[in-house]
Amino acid sequence: MNEHRTSSSSGGSQLEKAKVRLVHHLLEVKMLGRAIRSMEVMVHSSTFLLPKLHQPANSPAKKYALVVLNQNLPRFVPRLWTHAKLRICADGGANRIFDEMFQMTNDPDYESTRKRYIPEIIEGDMDSIRPEVKQFYSSQGSKISDKSHNQETTDLHKCISRIHRCTPDHEKTNLCVLVTGALGGRFDHEAANINILYLFSDMRIVLLSDDCLIRLLPKTHKHEIYIESSVEGPHCGLFPVGAPSGSTTTTGLKWNLSEAKMRFGSMISTSNIVHAEKELEGTVLHQELEGTAALQETTPTEAIQIPQPPLHCFLAMKVNDDVSHDARRQERASGVAKIESVARFSAC
Ligand SMILES: Nc1ncnc2c1ncn2[C@@H]1O[C@H](COP(=O)(O)OP(=O)(O)OP(=O)(O)O)[C@@H](O)[C@H]1O
Ligand SMILES: Cc1ncc(C[n+]2csc(CCO)c2C)c(N)n1
């Protein structure tokens, strides 16, 4: 009898515990939904890849800073160079500008081409820039920022630190830092370059190569990403690096996610395709991640706390030639894709 009572009361308490867990879970879902709805939208676009002629007249004025890394220059560098407000070469990136701009601009006059492309700053540990290149740019007025004493951070890190330091907070959101040659080379460099997106998540940084661009979708916002279908896509991927994305919902992709969990070691979205023909104006991806602080504010009990703040997700987008801009524009309709994602840590 006693035994029976014990097991039944323990069964009862198990049921109670399950109920409490369920209530907590429902509360958590409700709060996450509320957190998503209250987030501001961050708009992204890659119009910097387009020739000036094709840039939308009414797009909001964005300032670009260009950082050139020590890798083959992507074909659109001359265009980015012309429109950037600031140009920084990361150490050996200066060799690339010195050596490769002729071929890119098809200008037979070497001397005058060189003198047209002078970076404002060359920043780094100076172990890759050639002495004659350093001498040339120094004589043309470039600031040489020699950080050879610092072997703790990469040259890209040093460049972005400088931009971060020199940009007032209220201007950070209106500045886009384009980093060329960041992808497709040595994997340790590529991974370190991606890490920069996370280290400086309050800045808009786009890593670029001839084939791909990567941008962070910060956890603080919802995101609308207008895809320039003439020069980017249709392939794309979403990567929750460092932390799981607990619930991601997308529209406008061929393989949409519906409250899907993404994490490394499980499902991630790769080889996805922008597939937004049904919608009309540019492709938009929404991704939303909430932080611990927001949850703690609204959490009625200690039990539903997220153990660590979730991290951000990044979006990788295929980049294409823009030679047949008009043809391609007709071929692939622009559209709107949305991604909503909530990062959540589960106990497992
Ligand atoms: N193969 C590559 N792939 C991706 N990024 C690169 C590659 N090579 C250089 N970079 C980027 O360009 C920046 C400047 O390159 P540079 O060769 O001057 O760097 P470094 O610090 O001397 O590199 P290393 O590790 O070879 O000593 C690096 O900080 C890195 O961000
Ligand atoms: C844990 C650790 N790993 C590697 C390096 C080496 N390192 C990192 S960035 C950099 C500069 C490259 O220009 C160098 C040499 C370090 N310092 N600490």
Side-chain angles (χ1 to χ4, degrees), residues 287-343:
Q287 190 251 356
E288 300 163 0
L289 302 164
E290 95 298 332
T292 310
L295 262 188
Q296 281 171 344
E297 272 167 29
T298 49
T299 300
T301 88
E302 289 288 315
I304 317 170
Q305 278 186 16
I306 289 175
Q308 294 168 48
L311 298 182
H312 323 272
C313 206
F314 74 76
L315 168 75
M317 185 64 64
K318 174 83 175 74
V319 169
N320 302 302
D321 281 332
D322 62 356
V323 280
S324 55
H325 180 87
D326 290 326
R328 220 175 270 228
R329 198 181 253 298
Q330 282 163 11
E331 215 171 86
R332 285 198 242 128
S334 294
V336 185
K338 293 182 181 174
I339 294 181
E340 295 183 347
S341 167
V342 174

Side-chain angles (χ1 to χ4, degrees), residues 270-303:
T270 189
S271 298
N272 214 325
I273 289 186
V274 173
H275 186 70
E277 286 89 340
K278 288 189 202 93
E279 318 248 3
L280 290 171
E281 297 167 40
T283 296
V284 181
L285 308 177
H286 275 258
Q287 190 251 356
E288 300 163 0
L289 302 164
E290 95 298 332
T292 310
L295 262 188
Q296 281 171 344
E297 272 167 29
T298 49
T299 300
T301 88
E302 289 288 315

Side-chain angles (χ1 to χ4, degrees), residues 233-245:
H235 292 92
C236 68
L238 270 168
F239 301 94
V241 170
S245 166

Side-chain angles (χ1 to χ4, degrees), residues 100-338:
E100 295 173 24
M101 266 331 220
F102 312 119
Q103 296 105 301
M104 310 204 83
T105 57
N106 275 330
D107 190 334
D109 185 346
Y110 282 24
E111 284 308 308
S112 82
T113 306
R114 258 189 199 140
K115 287 187 178 163
R116 257 192 292 134
Y117 296 100
I118 308 296
E120 281 85 354
I121 301 164
I122 300 174
E123 175 94 44
D125 63 3
M126 304 297 154
D127 63 351
S128 303
I129 187 170
R130 300 195 306 273
E132 82 269 20
V133 174
K134 191 161 130 189
Q135 165 56 35
F136 172 78
Y137 287 121
S138 177
S139 76
Q140 296 295 314
S142 300
K143 177 185 166 65
I144 312 288
S145 172
D146 186 336
K147 301 271 170 61
S148 45
H149 55 280
N150 180 343
Q151 292 299 310
E152 302 305 313
T153 61
T154 65
D155 297 321
L156 173 60
H157 193 144
K158 293 175 176 87
C159 293
I160 301 291
S161 288
R162 170 180 287 277
I163 298 172
H164 192 267
R165 218 173 36 243
C166 299
T167 310
D169 282 347
H170 67 277
E171 280 181 27
K172 282 196 176 87
T173 49
N174 201 36
L175 179 75
C176 182
V177 185
L178 307 176
V179 183
T180 69
L183 306 164
R186 246 170 61 191
F187 185 75
D188 59 332
H189 272 313
E190 282 184 287
N193 296 342
I194 291 170
N195 192 36
I196 293 297
L197 300 182
Y198 287 76
L199 285 169
F200 295 91
S201 61
D202 60 340
M203 296 192 70
R204 287 162 171 259
I205 302 172
V206 182
L207 303 181
L208 288 160
S209 73
D210 264 328
D211 303 311
C212 196
L213 68 80
I214 288 184
R215 58 172 93 244
L216 193 74
L217 305 178
K219 65 185 178 189
T220 47
H221 286 74
K222 302 177 192 177
H223 298 276
E224 295 187 355
I225 296 136
Y226 287 76
I227 304 300
E228 266 310 324
S229 57
S230 62
V231 282
E232 59 182 339
H235 292 92
C236 68
L238 270 168
F239 301 94
V241 170
S245 166
S247 172
T248 299
T249 302
T250 74
T251 61
L253 301 178
K254 183 166 180 181
W255 288 276
N256 279 311
L257 303 171
S258 175
E259 297 182 6
K261 280 191 175 147
M262 289 197 294
R263 73 176 165 86
F264 264 84
S266 178
M267 199 275 287
I268 55 171
S269 176
T270 189
S271 298
N272 214 325
I273 289 186
V274 173
H275 186 70
E277 286 89 340
K278 288 189 202 93
E279 318 248 3
L280 290 171
E281 297 167 40
T283 296
V284 181
L285 308 177
H286 275 258
Q287 190 251 356
E288 300 163 0
L289 302 164
E290 95 298 332
T292 310
L295 262 188
Q296 281 171 344
E297 272 167 29
T298 49
T299 300
T301 88
E302 289 288 315
I304 317 170
Q305 278 186 16
I306 289 175
Q308 294 168 48
L311 298 182
H312 323 272
C313 206
F314 74 76
L315 168 75
M317 185 64 64
K318 174 83 175 74
V319 169
N320 302 302
D321 281 332
D322 62 356
V323 280
S324 55
H325 180 87
D326 290 326
R328 220 175 270 228
R329 198 181 253 298
Q330 282 163 11
E331 215 171 86
R332 285 198 242 128
S334 294
V336 185
K338 293 182 181 174

